[in-house]
Amino acid sequence: MRLIAGNAEQKLLDRLLDACKERGWVKARGKQRTNSTHILAAIRTLNRLEVIGETLRAALNALATVAPEWLQAWVPPVWFERYGRAVDEYRLPKGVEARKVYAETIGTDGMQLLAALWSDPTPIALRQLSVVETLRQTWVHQFYVSEGQVQLRAAKDLPPAGERMDSPYDPDARYGNKRSTTWTGYKVHLTETCDENQVHLITHVITTHAHQADVAQTEPIHVALQAKALLPEQHIVDAGFVDANLIVTSQKHYGVELIGPVRPNVSWQAKTPGAYDISQFQVHWQTKQVTCPQGQKSQQWNPAVDAWGNHVINVRFSRSQCRQCTSRPLCTRAKTDPREITLRPQAEYQALQVVRQQQTTQAWQQTYNQRAGIEGTLSQGINAFGLRRSRYRGLAKTRLQHLLTSTAMNFVAWCPGCKVSLMPKHGLLALPR
Ligand code: SF4
């Protein structure tokens, strides 16, 4: 706790890296690779009914500890029976309607507690308890009031999963999914060196909420490595960490070549032999015009921002020219509208074209193959160091655990003759005497 309070969590890993730097075992401008894995929070996974029941129970338990007289003065006796035991699925009512009634009973009780907390002369300190804030936020997410009745929100009206609290016992833990894996907790991103004939050392660790996208961590990793004077020349990552903007800005701001597969062109034109996909259009950036494969010039060039916040340029050809075009079936499936294409800004567009071409070559594939080694490091962390499950509650302590674990993994990688005894069941590190 003192390490967290003093903002000193990083110190142990950084000291070890400094010692390795002095000995030439780790250096800037080499190759590094990054990947993430899911971390299970140190809590029981709860379903929606359990979340609301346990959130109210946790608030009542906290208030019973800090203000027992205040609570006893007004709390209905039936609540002792209703919230005296853990809210467990096997004790919950069966059937959709019965469960809805039960949820709304809890919702009404919670609303009554919040009203009592926000009424005079209740001490303000009670409503400032973190567990009360969790109750307040969870009730905003889960319920609404209609004609004086507390109603459970329909699933479609809930906030995104990443914004909801999934347990009052670890409000930082979030629901996440990656491909077919779903979990409640966190995500850890490990970055390590991967130069040939060098020991591979973890240079940076980021722990995030489970729902946060990998692509959002690429720049923070570069910022952190720059601060440690450990920026690589090549940073090898999977597709989740790459986009056109990052390819450009990594090189421009950090001198880092970001190596990872970019999304292929998935338009029907790109998948149809002979059809006119975007690569067959000539873009004239100076004159802000595009020439199509039939030699026609575009009529409109409109900068915009797409649904994901990316700057794009919407290009539109002439309706009359496209209508008369004999190659129209190869170009557009629109019934009457002309061909439209969407471009990224010049630097990003050109970078995407270059990478799409490069990633078809054997040389690029050989470089990219080095990324796979990070899976072994993550596996070692999970099997030998208990990385998969958080030992603590909360993002700050989970982050500290990951920093200490990474330091220990570096120590094992760096220490000549040091061997780890793998004990997956207990996640213990055993060093030979
Ligand atoms: S449909 Fe329009 S944009 Fe496409 S090739 Fe024909 S003239 Fe060019």
Side-chain angles (χ1 to χ4, degrees), residues 276 292 294 296 317 322 325 328 331 339:
Y276 296 163
C292 78
Q294 288 299 317
Q296 300 296 341
F317 286 81
C322 288
C325 176
R328 185 181 172 95
C331 192
R339 176 70 189 264

Side-chain angles (χ1 to χ4, degrees), residues 248-305:
V248 174
T249 56
S250 298
Q251 190 69 62
K252 188 173 164 191
H253 300 320
Y254 306 101
V256 173
E257 183 187 1
L258 188 64
I259 298 176
V262 293
R263 274 194 342 126
N265 185 345
V266 292
S267 68
W268 69 264
Q269 293 96 334
K271 293 181 198 158
T272 308
Y276 296 163
D277 75 312
I278 197 169
S279 66
Q280 297 184 48
F281 289 71
Q282 286 181 356
V283 184
H284 313 287
W285 296 98
Q286 299 294 334
T287 55
K288 299 187 175 174
Q289 271 202 320
V290 177
T291 304
C292 78
Q294 288 299 317
Q296 300 296 341
K297 296 256 192 298
S298 59
Q299 297 293 302
Q300 292 181 30
W301 175 281
N302 298 319
V305 176

Side-chain angles (χ1 to χ4, degrees), residues 60-183:
L60 289 169
N61 281 336
L63 291 165
T65 304
V66 299
E69 281 135 28
W70 175 84
L71 197 60
Q72 270 175 346
W74 67 270
V75 75
V78 68
W79 286 21
F80 291 96
E81 170 62 25
R82 200 175 282 158
Y83 304 110
R85 288 191 296 177
V87 181
D88 251 320
E89 170 62 27
Y90 77 93
R91 279 201 291 266
L92 294 178
K94 307 289 180 249
V96 175
E97 197 48 41
R99 290 169 80 95
K100 187 166 178 288
V101 170
Y102 178 70
E104 288 171 359
T105 301
I106 298 173
T108 305
D109 293 348
M111 216 59 101
Q112 190 179 344
L113 175 58
L114 288 167
L117 284 162
W118 261 262
S119 65
D120 287 333
T122 301
I124 290 174
L126 296 189
R127 66 188 82 144
Q128 291 172 337
L129 294 173
S130 62
V131 73
V132 169
E133 178 57 18
T134 302
L135 175 73
R136 191 190 66 76
Q137 286 190 34
T138 302
W139 255 236
V140 170
H141 294 159
Q142 300 283 353
F143 298 100
Y144 67 99
V145 178
S146 173
E147 298 177 355
Q149 298 292 311
V150 178
Q151 310 270 324
L152 188 67
R153 288 188 191 280
K156 67 178 177 50
D157 296 329
L158 290 170
E163 289 175 21
R164 299 197 303 259
M165 292 172 178
D166 285 325
S167 170
Y169 306 113
D170 187 350
D172 286 342
R174 293 287 190 275
Y175 174 85
N177 69 329
K178 190 173 184 181
R179 291 185 281 276
S180 59
T181 304
T182 60
W183 74 100

Side-chain angles (χ1 to χ4, degrees), residues 124 127 136 159 186 247 297 346 352 372 383 404 414 417:
I124 290 174
R127 66 188 82 144
R136 191 190 66 76
Y186 305 93
I247 292 171
K297 296 256 192 298
Q346 183 175 4
L352 268 183
N383 290 313
L404 297 178
W414 159 79

